[in-house]
Amino acid sequence: MDKFTVHTGTAMPLRRSNVDTDQIIPARFVPYFSWKGHANALFADWRDDPAFPLNLPQYQGATVLLAGNDFATGSSRESAVWALERFGFKAVIAPRFGDIFRGNSLMRGLLTVAVPAAVVERLWEAVERDPFTEVTVDLELLEVRCGGLVQPFELDEAARQRLLAGRDPIADTLAESADAITAYEGGRRPALPVTR
Amino acid sequence: MGSTLAQKTWDAHVVRHGDDGGDLLYVDMHLLHEVNTPQAFDDLRAAGRAVRRPDLTVGTEDHNTPTVAIDKVIQDPAGRRQTTLMRANCEEFGIPLHRLGSAGQGIVHVIGPELGLVRPGMTIVCCDSHTTTLGAFGAVAFGIGTKQVEHVLATQTLPMARPKDMAVTVTGELPPGVTAKDLVLAIIARIGTGGGVGHIIEYRGAAVTALSMEGRMTLCNMSVEAGSRAGLIAPDETTFAYLRTRPGMPQGADWEAEVAHWKSLRSDEDAVYDKEVVIDASTLTPYVSWGNNPGQSIPLDAVVPAPADFSDPQERVAAERALAYMDLEPGTGMRELPIDAVFLGSCTNGRIEDLRAAAEVLEGRKVADGLHMMIVPGSTPVREQAVAEGLDRVFAEAGADFRPAAGCSMCAALNEDRLLPGQRAASTSNRNFEGRQGKGSRTHIVSPAVAAATAVAGRLAAPADL
């Protein structure tokens, strides 16, 4: 996992709420599971529309996605995160996210930032007025900055530390907790089911 | 101050409290299917890691599998490759796998309880958002992504912050003809698709305890559609009676000891929830979705809403978009909508009680001309039970397409079962997202009884309308 400390980039406005993971990457593309194949599938069913932000020249190269409420609800498909990452997004800012997607994104290093809807609205307006507007997502100070706007945000501290250090969560667990896991297993109820 | 059931279960599984507030949670059962797992195994191999507890891990084939025949070749090469990889990965790492055609195969959330792998007080994860289904047994069960699958395979644990607690209390009694599916649609319509974000919902109240285990699974299944991490119901005599008949259960004194333990798994009287909602079951009628998320649901008696009905600006925009996608005119009665296809199945409503409810309506009736009704059993045992009860004959005589094999089928449109663009379906599944049942498809979520009545009427209908 790459380190995430402070990221500054241009942003793409996605003025839609309830963008579920079926829209981020339609199910029929999910079986194409190689790492690299997913960028082309990002928002595949919406890209027929020439006015869709992903098709607009002024937002090409954007690295921050500004989305509406309840972004990425639905399926557990981590390929939604892969598609966004492979397309070049480093962070998604929205008022609220689907829980599973948020867990997936923070495990993979795509930063999901929850800010009030009114702040997203201000960011949308700024970016639509001037697509060169830069948005900064600062994980060290837990702030989103854009022009004069400084918006604090909260993040699970364990996830924050992992992202700042770019640490692999599995290696962390194996290094720090192997003995604790073995000890826990020794005290489990013996009647719990096994599969073989 | 007392604790909630979710909190007690969580606390009993904390391997280690992190210095930074996150917990390392032990996973009692890890369920796998073919779609969201190949990358996890690839990365596991690349890192030279082993599967820590294959004996607490089980796989099934459900999403890509054809349901028209068990020996049909999967046409889509990527889907076929996923299934091939699932078999190879499970074999390499010693994980039991229920292959298509085998006795225990079926949709992952249907077979977990059938195989006796789901019990009160457990933690259960799976690479599928509808793992919330298994909370019906008083377990903390939730969907995870592929990196988390790899984490559980390697360590049998997950680092996570504990979700908050939410109570949905359903008072009173569901009127005749109103089911768990209608109840959950009404709940999501009320609290919204984000109403449960960051929370585990505990369903309580007389109308919840009156539900069968299958009804409870339907209710918990759609918890994720309200955004919640998980949904659960405290175990009771209904739970124990179901478990008694499952394989692998402890016997004699051991069984008594387990039941005594399970009885202790309930929220304390003075437990405080971060969020509470109360719903009166007696006011409910059959529900149906009109839009493109499950929160956009209304009573079947109602009419298609207008964007102006929504005060929230984002909801208004979403309604405009949904009306256009669904090709609906505000003010149209839901019963006036002609339906091209009916899908009965999925992890929400692919169980034997769901098939029985549909058969009751279809008995002595015919599926409307030009309408395709597909009935897909949730598991091989569900199919066998349906045949043993003669439901297959009822379906055949009604002209419905009762599939010989079990799987997710048209719910996720990952096998060959897909609607054509513009086709309108009544579906017992859980999602009406744009393109969910095929690109350009239009889905109305309904209960099994409404699905069957709709198949007969050719329009959205309740059994009482026939």
Side-chain angles (χ1 to χ4, degrees):
Chain A
M1 194 161 81
D2 294 337
K3 282 186 188 181
F4 194 115
T5 49
V6 181
H7 174 76
T8 299
T10 58
M12 179 178 295
L14 182 63
R15 279 190 182 266
R16 288 182 189 184
S17 61
N18 280 103
V19 174
D20 54 76
T21 52
D22 276 61
Q23 310 317 315
I24 298 172
I25 177 166
R28 63 185 184 280
F29 297 106
V30 172
Y32 294 86
F33 53 83
S34 86
W35 268 112
K36 296 187 174 67
H38 287 95
N40 290 334
L42 180 65
F43 297 117
D45 285 346
W46 288 348
R47 282 160 83 172
D48 300 340
D49 173 7
F52 186 64
L54 227 57
N55 294 328
L56 297 178
Q58 63 267 39
Y59 301 128
Q60 300 309 308
T63 52
V64 178
L65 184 67
L66 305 172
N69 212 5
D70 294 327
F71 183 75
T73 52
S75 170
S76 67
R77 65 186 70 163
E78 192 175 285
S79 41
V81 175
W82 307 347
L84 288 160
E85 276 191 327
R86 287 283 147 185
F87 201 83
F89 289 108
K90 304 286 184 207
V92 185
I93 299 176
R96 199 165 55 193
F97 294 90
D99 275 349
I100 300 177
F101 175 83
R102 194 131 205 243
N104 292 346
S105 69
L106 297 176
M107 274 279 201
R108 279 281 178 202
L110 175 75
L111 186 59
T112 40
V113 179
V115 301
V119 174
V120 174
E121 184 67 46
R122 279 180 66 188
L123 292 170
W124 277 339
E125 284 166 9
V127 167
E128 284 164 354
R129 204 163 45 236
D130 177 6
F132 292 102
T133 301
E134 288 194 326
V135 177
T136 296
V137 180
D138 188 332
L139 188 60
E140 287 171 339
L141 297 179
L142 288 171
E143 281 178 359
V144 171
R145 294 187 294 274
C146 177
L149 180 147
V150 179
Q151 174 64 43
F153 65 87
E154 290 176 10
L155 195 78
D156 166 22
E157 183 57 23
R160 177 171 171 266
Q161 291 299 339
R162 237 183 2 249
L163 287 164
L164 285 172
R167 292 197 316 259
D168 172 11
I170 299 173
D172 268 12
T173 300
L174 291 172
E176 295 165 6
S177 303
D179 293 345
I181 296 170
T182 304
Y184 179 89
E185 284 176 329
R188 292 176 76 230
R189 293 185 72 75
L192 283 164
V194 292
T195 58
R196 60 168 206 193
Chain B
M1 192 178 78
S3 301
T4 64
L5 169 58
Q7 184 168 354
K8 289 180 188 179
T9 306
W10 189 280
D11 289 346
H13 289 83
V14 172
V15 170
R16 189 179 168 141
H17 288 290
D19 305 331
D20 40 26
D23 290 331
L24 189 66
L25 191 74
Y26 196 81
V27 173
D28 287 325
M29 189 57 61
H30 186 193
L31 310 173
L32 304 170
H33 62 65
E34 76 279 15
V35 175
N36 295 322
T37 50
Q39 183 82 42
F41 283 107
D42 283 352
D43 289 0
L44 200 68
R45 249 188 306 267
R49 291 172 182 146
V51 174
R52 183 180 176 91
R53 295 296 300 262
D55 61 327
L56 303 184
T57 313
V58 67
T60 187
E61 299 174 357
D62 55 8
H63 281 62
N64 286 323
T65 49
T67 58
V68 288
I70 58 162
D71 54 356
K72 185 177 187 293
V73 175
I74 298 174
Q75 293 299 316
D76 176 44
R80 191 164 64 235
R81 179 135 188 264
Q82 278 194 323
T83 303
T84 308
L85 281 171
M86 183 71 182
R87 293 172 185 175
N89 286 329
C90 286
E91 179 157 355
E92 179 183 343
F93 290 98
I95 295 167
L97 173 67
H98 297 277
R99 291 177 57 158
L100 185 64
S102 67
Q105 178 267 343
I107 305 174
V108 67
H109 314 305
V110 177
I111 69 165
E114 275 176 358
L115 295 170
L117 301 177
V118 177
R119 303 182 198 172
M122 289 175 66
T123 50
I124 303 161
V125 300
C126 172
C127 52
D128 192 287
S129 58
H130 293 106
T131 309
T132 56
T133 311
L134 308 174
F137 292 84
V140 169
F142 52 89
I144 57 175
T146 304
K147 186 73 190 172
Q148 291 166 315
V149 167
E150 187 192 346
H151 197 289
V152 178
L153 288 173
T155 70
Q156 204 57 29
T157 65
L158 262 187
M160 261 178 91
R162 193 179 81 80
K164 293 178 185 164
D165 294 297
M166 178 169 176
V168 172
T169 306
V170 191
T171 61
E173 213 177 309
L174 287 170
V178 183
T179 67
K181 186 62 166 293
D182 305 306
L183 171 60
V184 72
L185 286 174
I187 291 170
I188 301 165
R190 163 94 166 267
I191 68 175
T193 55
V197 168
H199 293 73
I200 296 175
I201 297 178
E202 181 177 347
Y203 299 98
R204 318 189 295 171
V208 173
T209 48
L211 292 173
S212 67
M213 279 321 296
E214 303 210 342
R216 294 178 189 189
M217 284 190 253
T218 300
L219 176 58
C220 289
N221 172 276
M222 289 191 69
S223 300
V224 68
E225 311 305 336
S228 61
R229 191 78 225 187
L232 51 69
I233 297 169
D236 60 9
E237 294 301 329
T238 303
T239 322
F240 310 147
Y242 178 100
L243 291 173
R244 197 80 187 92
T245 63
R246 297 293 106 204
M249 288 297 149
Q251 300 297 317
D254 292 340
W255 167 260
E256 297 304 326
E258 283 308 287
V259 170
H261 169 61
W262 294 339
K263 283 180 175 169
S264 73
L265 299 173
R266 47 185 54 256
S267 295
D268 296 325
E269 291 291 334
D270 57 345
V272 175
Y273 295 82
D274 300 284
K275 209 168 172 178
E276 284 197 68
V277 174
V278 179
I279 290 189
D280 178 1
S282 66
T283 63
L284 299 181
T285 55
Y287 258 64
V288 56
S289 71
W290 60 270
N292 292 125
N293 67 61
Q296 291 173 323
S297 293
I298 51 177
L300 183 61
D301 296 331
V303 300
V304 175
D309 298 344
F310 299 89
S311 52
D312 178 82
Q314 286 209 30
E315 279 185 40
R316 201 177 312 134
V317 172
E320 275 168 17
R321 198 180 155 76
L323 290 171
Y325 182 88
M326 296 294 288
D327 189 28
L328 293 176
E329 279 298 318
T332 311
M334 292 305 292
R335 280 187 175 79
E336 294 170 42
L337 297 180
I339 297 294
D340 304 303
V342 169
F343 170 66
L344 175 68
S346 84
C347 59
T348 318
N349 283 124
R351 299 184 175 79
I352 190 67
E353 285 181 14
D354 303 313
L355 270 55
R356 285 180 194 142
E360 196 180 318
V361 176
L362 292 173
E363 176 101 59
R365 295 191 170 107
K366 292 275 182 205
V367 170
D369 283 345
L371 183 146
H372 181 215
M373 182 182 196
M374 186 190 296
I375 302 174
V376 186
S379 70
T380 306
V382 166
R383 162 125 195 138
E384 285 168 357
Q385 179 72 24
V387 171
E389 295 179 15
L391 305 186
D392 57 331
R393 273 184 287 113
V394 176
F395 297 148
E397 283 163 16
D401 171 14
F402 182 43
R403 291 293 172 84
C408 301
S409 211
M410 202 194 269
C411 174
L414 275 169
N415 70 357
E416 71 281 4
D417 293 323
R418 286 172 201 185
L419 293 172
L420 299 171
Q423 277 194 317
R424 190 180 297 283
S427 177
T428 65
S429 52
N430 37 52
R431 285 184 177 145
N432 51 346
F433 297 157
E434 289 183 28
R436 175 74 180 176
Q437 296 191 291
K439 189 175 178 181
S441 61
R442 297 177 178 135
T443 299
H444 297 277
I445 309 174
V446 295
S447 73
V450 169
T454 297
V456 172
R459 294 169 177 274
L460 285 174
D465 302 339
L466 300 177

